[in-house]
Amino acid sequence: MDTTRRRFLAAGAAGIAGLGTLGSARAAPDRHTLTIDGFGPPTSYSFTVGGDLEKSTAEGATIDRSDRIVDRSAHGAVGDGKDAYTFTGELSSFDFDGSGEINVLLDGEPAHVGNRPDHTLVIEGFGTTTPYSFVIGKGTASQSDACDASVNDSDQTTDFGTGGAVRSGTDAYVYDGFLQSFDFDRAGEINVTIDGEAAHVGRRPDRTLTIAGDGEYTPYEFSVSGSIRGIIEIDEEQAIVDSPIVSGAVSGDGRDTYTYDGDLTELTYPDDCSPVIHSNDEVVTSTDY
């Protein structure tokens, strides 16, 4: 199968096989049916819905033990066969192995999974107001009402990061890419999941520092109270890392990006330069330190 057809199928096109499913694949008005049709080697997938989720034998689908439902998310794989699920609410995200070939139908119509977000991040609070912030690598997050989450004006997303707070409720976000860093007030209590599974935010870097050039060559140096966890992107020459102190430079519209634990304790750059610097969602300048 050529690349063009593979992309066509993965995007959720009904195809010839899907034409006969219209009507018969439809569930009750308040319940939806999702069918995932495979075309050869196993293709892994995961998705999250807004309400109750169950496996189904709709349209001749098989029910396999290896396909798991975790709360409102499913994780499975389909080869030369078909998986099906019924659910309430919305299909908030859908991800699959891009090297595979699948056709996805929602109530008998193309699900257009290639146009939907890949992942759903859910942050659940337990009584104490807990601020949090995070950065999505290779993408940005959007607020979502998935999993009965509230959408609040106080929770904000920029091109550099996302910041918010949760108390006795749930915040949710959908995104493409990967969760690069996650920080929260340790005095609070939260539960964080990605597609229904533990996000293990304690094992991830706390923060992402992004230094964006202002057109001029700008050398900089910073230090952190913890340790540098990784150098994600470096403009031009590699920065010199002697953890927890970093020296580097940006020029033009380039960006340098680092992940680290702890707090930013020092930040310096020439007075005649004005790079745009973010630590997760917060804007920082040399005058702050």
Side-chain angles (χ1 to χ4, degrees):
M1 180 176 292
D2 62 27
T3 302
T4 301
R5 180 154 186 253
R6 180 181 300 117
R7 290 176 178 171
F8 181 71
L9 290 169
I16 296 176
L19 294 178
T21 66
L22 296 177
S24 61
R26 294 185 184 278
D30 60 345
R31 196 163 190 87
H32 304 287
T33 299
L34 185 74
T35 59
I36 306 166
D37 208 353
F39 295 89
T43 300
S44 59
Y45 62 81
S46 63
F47 64 89
T48 299
V49 302
D52 297 330
L53 176 63
E54 296 179 354
K55 296 179 182 180
S56 172
T57 57
E59 302 301 320
T62 59
I63 293 180
D64 304 311
R65 291 184 178 180
S66 58
D67 298 336
R68 299 177 296 111
I69 291 179
V70 185
D71 195 11
R72 300 182 181 188
S73 300
H75 298 259
V78 63
D80 190 10
K82 183 180 296 184
D83 288 349
Y85 300 83
T86 61
F87 65 93
T88 58
E90 301 292 328
L91 178 62
S92 64
S93 61
F94 192 104
D95 190 28
F96 66 98
D97 181 356
S99 64
E101 302 165 10
I102 58 174
N103 185 31
V104 186
L105 299 178
L106 178 59
D107 295 336
E109 302 284 353
H112 301 296
V113 295
N115 298 331
R116 297 177 184 269
D118 290 343
H119 304 292
T120 300
L121 175 72
V122 176
I123 306 166
E124 184 179 6
F126 296 94
T128 302
T129 299
T130 305
Y132 62 81
S133 62
F134 62 89
V135 174
I136 299 300
K138 305 300 183 182
T140 57
S142 299
Q143 290 190 65
S144 170
D145 60 2
C147 302
D148 302 322
S150 58
V151 177
N152 305 308
D153 292 338
S154 58
D155 300 335
Q156 298 292 330
T157 293
T158 71
D159 289 342
F160 295 91
T162 297
V166 65
R167 188 178 179 182
S168 295
T170 301
D171 287 352
Y173 299 86
V174 291
Y175 65 93
D176 297 330
F178 60 96
L179 182 60
Q180 183 167 282
S181 60
F182 192 102
D183 194 21
F184 66 99
D185 184 351
R186 267 56 174 183
E189 182 182 358
I190 58 175
N191 183 43
V192 186
T193 60
I194 299 174
D195 302 333
E197 299 188 313
H200 300 297
V201 294
R203 303 177 190 174
R204 299 176 187 269
D206 292 342
R207 307 188 71 83
T208 297
L209 185 72
T210 303
I211 305 171
D214 65 346
E216 300 294 330
Y217 178 81
T218 304
Y220 61 80
E221 183 172 287
F222 70 89
S223 62
V224 299
S225 62
S227 60
I228 305 299
R229 292 281 290 270
I231 304 172
I232 309 303
E233 295 176 357
I234 297 297
D235 181 51
E236 295 187 352
E237 295 184 2
Q238 179 81 7
I240 298 173
V241 177
D242 182 13
S243 184
I245 300 174
V246 173
S247 298
V250 291
S251 61
D253 59 356
R255 292 186 180 186
D256 287 1
T257 304
Y258 305 84
T259 58
Y260 67 95
D261 295 328
D263 298 318
L264 188 63
T265 56
E266 184 178 1
L267 173 65
T268 60
Y269 50 83
D271 292 338
D272 58 347
C273 296
S274 55
V276 177
I277 304 177
H278 282 74
S279 177
N280 282 12
D281 63 313
E282 299 175 2
V283 177
V284 295
T285 68
S286 60
T287 59
D288 297 327
Y289 300 93

